[in-house]
Amino acid sequence: MSGDLIRVSEIFGPTIQGEGALIGQPTVFVRTGGCDYRCKWCDTLHAVDSAYRDQWCPMTPEAVMMQVEILSGGQPLTVSLSGGNPAIQPLGDLIDLGHAEGYRFALETQGSIARDWFSTLDVLTLSPKPPSSGMAIDWQKLAECVEAAGPGTQVVLKVVIFDEADYAFARDAAARYPDLMLYLQPGNHTPPAPEDANGAIDMAGIMDRMRWLVDKVSSDRWYTATVLPQLHTLIWGNLRGV
Amino acid sequence: MSGDLIRVSEIFGPTIQGEGALIGQPTVFVRTGGCDYRCKWCDTLHAVDSAYRDQWCPMTPEAVMMQVEILSGGQPLTVSLSGGNPAIQPLGDLIDLGHAEGYRFALETQGSIARDWFSTLDVLTLSPKPPSSGMAIDWQKLAECVEAAGPGTQVVLKVVIFDEADYAFARDAAARYPDLMLYLQPGNHTPPAPEDANGAIDMAGIMDRMRWLVDKVSSDRWYTATVLPQLHTLIWGNLRGV
C-alpha cells in the first residue's frame, strides 16, 4: 500500500467533461481538497476553503482507484483530476495504478506548483488565473509546469475570462506559448456557494459574455484561440456531482 | 479561371464552429446550395430545398476565396464547407487555392457521395443520417467517403440523435469504424423554417435530450463517444449567419 494519502473532496461520474480540450468526453472526476489560491469567483469553494476540510477524505491511491473502477464499471476511461489544486496532492501512484488498468488521466491546475509526476499525465490543462481572480500570476511557476510534462502529455492552456483585462492576460499567455492550444472560457459570475450545491445561475449573463468573447476573438482575428463555455453549467446549472 | 462554378447559399463569419471535432474554433462558413437528401428535421432547408435555388449564387473558386479572405481579414483560418451537401459541388480548386494561402478546410457531409478531392481536406466530418431523418443509409457509400480521405485528413463521425433508434444506429456506426472519433449531437426538433432566419427554438427540450444522451452513454459505458450540443444554437438560437 502506498504511504501518501490523497485528500479527496469528491469522486463522481461517469459524466462528460464540460470544459476545454476534452469537452463532451465521458470521464470520472476525482476532485481533491485544498488550494493555494483563493480566486474571487471560485466555483468549487467546497474543495478549496479549509472550512470544509472535514468533508475531505484522506484516501490511499488504491482506494481512489477502486472507487473510480466501481463508477466506471471497470471499463477504462479518462479520469479528470481536479480540485482545488490537485498538484498539491501526491497523485503519481494513482496515475500509475490507473495506467496499468488502461485508464487515462487528465489534470487541471492553475500552474502554481510543478510536480515530477506531471510527466506521466495524458493531458495537462494549465489554467493560469487572470486579473479578475485577484490572484497574481507567477509565469516562472507556469513555465516549470509546462516543462514538467512528459513526451506523451498533451499540454493545453485554459483561461477564464470576465473582462477586457482578463482577455489581455490571455493574449499574453498565448504569446508566451504559441505552440499550445488555448481555450477561452466565459466566467460564471454566479458561482455556487459551498453550502448550496445547486444555487441559481445567471445563464443569460454567461451567454452574453460568451457572445462578447466570440465577437472579440473574431474582430481581433485571433484564430488560434478556441472559445468554449462550461458545458456542464449549460446542462445542469450549478448542480454539483454531475 | 476555373471552369466549374460552386453553387453558394451563404458565406459568413468569422464565428466559431458550433459542432463536433472543431467546436469553439474560429471559422468562416461556406455553405453550398443543393442536397441529395431531405431529412425530416433539416435545419438548413434554405440551402437544401430547390424552392430557394434562386438564392444560391454560382461562384468561381476564386470569387469564393476572395470573399473568405475579406471576411477573415486575409489571415488564414479554418474554412468550414457545409451545405446542403457540399460533396455535390466542385470544391477541389477552392481547397487548393486556400491551401496555397495557408487556410485549412473542414467539410461536413452525410457521406452519400465520395469525391477524389476529399483527400486534400484537413478535416472530413461524415454525418450519416439516422432513422429519424427518414433517409436510408448506404454504408457502402459511407465507406467510399472514408476511403477517399487523404493521409493528412482527420476523419470523424457525427450522428444527430433524436431517439433510441438513432442511438442504436450510432452504435452500429461506431462498431463499423472503431478507430474514428464519433460525436453524438442531440437533435433540434424545432429547426428554423427557411423563410424564418430566427425562429423560436425549444432549448429546454434540446437540453433534456442532451442530458438523456449523457446518461445513456454513461450507463452503457460507451466511453469512446463524445457528446456535444450544437453550441451555436445555445448561443444564438436558430439565428442564421452566425
Side-chain angles (χ1 to χ4, degrees):
Chain A
M1 194 162 88
S2 308
D4 290 337
L5 296 177
I6 301 165
R7 217 160 45 178
V8 175
S9 166
E10 52 187 344
I11 304 177
F12 62 92
T15 180
I16 54 169
Q17 172 58 251
E19 304 181 359
L22 305 181
I23 191 166
Q25 295 188 22
T27 189
V28 165
F29 281 88
V30 174
R31 188 185 302 287
T32 63
C35 194
D36 48 321
Y37 273 30
R38 290 292 181 279
C39 298
K40 284 179 185 169
W41 34 253
C42 178
D43 60 358
T44 50
L45 267 178
H46 64 287
V48 168
D49 193 330
S50 53
Y52 301 91
R53 194 191 183 92
D54 59 352
Q55 297 173 12
W56 305 340
C57 181
M59 296 173 72
T60 63
E62 290 80 2
V64 173
M65 200 57 223
M66 185 184 294
Q67 185 64 36
V68 167
E69 291 190 73
I70 289 169
L71 290 172
S72 72
Q75 195 173 312
L77 85 178
T78 299
V79 178
S80 294
L81 303 169
S82 186
N85 184 0
I88 293 175
Q89 306 298 319
L91 297 175
D93 288 345
L94 171 64
I95 295 167
D96 291 345
L97 280 171
H99 275 165
E101 304 292 331
Y103 288 75
R104 290 165 51 87
F105 288 84
L107 179 137
E108 175 170 337
T109 176
Q110 58 263 50
S112 56
I113 300 167
R115 293 302 203 109
D116 54 4
W117 49 259
F118 281 4
S119 65
T120 67
L121 288 166
D122 299 284
V123 181
L124 171 60
T125 299
L126 297 171
S127 186
K129 301 306 175 188
S132 65
S133 69
M135 306 304 299
I137 179 76
D138 184 335
W139 292 110
Q140 178 55 37
K141 293 290 184 196
L142 191 76
E144 290 169 14
C145 288
V146 172
E147 286 155 21
T153 309
Q154 179 190 4
V155 184
V156 303
L157 299 176
K158 191 179 68 183
V159 183
V160 174
I161 307 288
F162 281 86
D163 54 30
E164 294 277 357
D166 291 353
Y167 183 85
F169 174 90
R171 295 221 65 158
D172 184 13
R176 289 167 185 266
Y177 295 100
D179 296 333
L180 299 184
M181 283 283 283
L182 186 146
Y183 296 85
L184 301 175
Q185 179 176 296
N188 175 5
H189 53 285
T190 51
E195 62 279 3
D196 180 6
N198 190 16
I201 188 168
D202 176 19
M203 199 60 72
I206 295 169
M207 292 314 275
D208 281 344
R209 191 170 292 121
M210 178 75 192
R211 279 181 287 268
W212 170 77
L213 253 182
V214 172
D215 287 346
K216 286 281 287 182
V217 164
S218 297
S219 60
D220 288 349
R221 311 202 183 289
W222 186 8
Y223 301 146
T224 53
T226 300
V227 188
L228 287 174
Q230 289 182 298
L231 187 51
H232 52 285
T233 63
L234 292 169
I235 303 174
W236 294 287
N238 276 331
L239 187 63
R240 194 185 298 169
V242 285
Chain B
M1 193 162 87
S2 306
D4 290 337
L5 297 177
I6 301 166
R7 216 161 45 179
V8 174
S9 165
E10 52 186 345
I11 303 177
F12 63 94
T15 181
I16 55 169
Q17 172 57 252
E19 305 180 1
L22 304 181
I23 191 167
Q25 295 188 22
T27 189
V28 165
F29 281 87
V30 174
R31 187 185 303 287
T32 63
C35 194
D36 47 322
Y37 274 29
R38 290 293 180 281
C39 298
K40 285 180 185 168
W41 33 254
C42 178
D43 60 358
T44 51
L45 267 178
H46 64 287
V48 167
D49 193 331
S50 53
Y52 300 91
R53 194 190 182 95
D54 59 354
Q55 297 173 12
W56 305 341
C57 181
M59 296 173 72
T60 63
E62 290 81 3
V64 173
M65 201 56 222
M66 184 183 295
Q67 185 63 35
V68 167
E69 290 190 74
I70 289 170
L71 290 172
S72 73
Q75 195 173 313
L77 84 179
T78 298
V79 178
S80 294
L81 303 170
S82 187
N85 183 2
I88 292 176
Q89 307 297 321
L91 297 175
D93 288 345
L94 171 65
I95 296 168
D96 291 345
L97 280 171
H99 275 165
E101 304 292 332
Y103 288 75
R104 290 165 50 86
F105 288 84
L107 179 137
E108 175 171 337
T109 176
Q110 58 264 50
S112 56
I113 300 168
R115 293 301 203 112
D116 54 4
W117 49 260
F118 282 3
S119 64
T120 66
L121 288 166
D122 299 284
V123 181
L124 171 60
T125 299
L126 297 171
S127 186
K129 302 307 175 192
S132 65
S133 69
M135 305 305 298
I137 178 77
D138 183 335
W139 292 110
Q140 178 54 37
K141 294 290 184 195
L142 191 76
E144 289 169 14
C145 289
V146 173
E147 285 155 22
T153 309
Q154 179 190 3
V155 184
V156 303
L157 299 175
K158 190 178 69 181
V159 183
V160 172
I161 307 287
F162 281 86
D163 54 29
E164 294 277 357
D166 291 353
Y167 184 85
F169 173 89
R171 296 222 64 160
D172 184 14
R176 290 168 185 266
Y177 295 101
D179 296 334
L180 301 184
M181 283 283 282
L182 186 147
Y183 296 85
L184 301 176
Q185 179 175 295
N188 175 4
H189 53 285
T190 51
E195 62 279 4
D196 180 7
N198 191 16
I201 187 167
D202 176 18
M203 199 60 73
I206 294 170
M207 293 313 276
D208 281 344
R209 190 170 293 122
M210 178 75 191
R211 280 182 286 269
W212 169 77
L213 252 183
V214 172
D215 287 346
K216 285 282 289 181
V217 164
S218 296
S219 60
D220 287 350
R221 312 202 183 291
W222 186 9
Y223 301 145
T224 52
T226 299
V227 187
L228 287 175
Q230 289 181 299
L231 188 50
H232 53 285
T233 63
L234 292 169
I235 302 174
W236 294 289
N238 275 332
L239 187 63
R240 193 184 297 171
V242 286

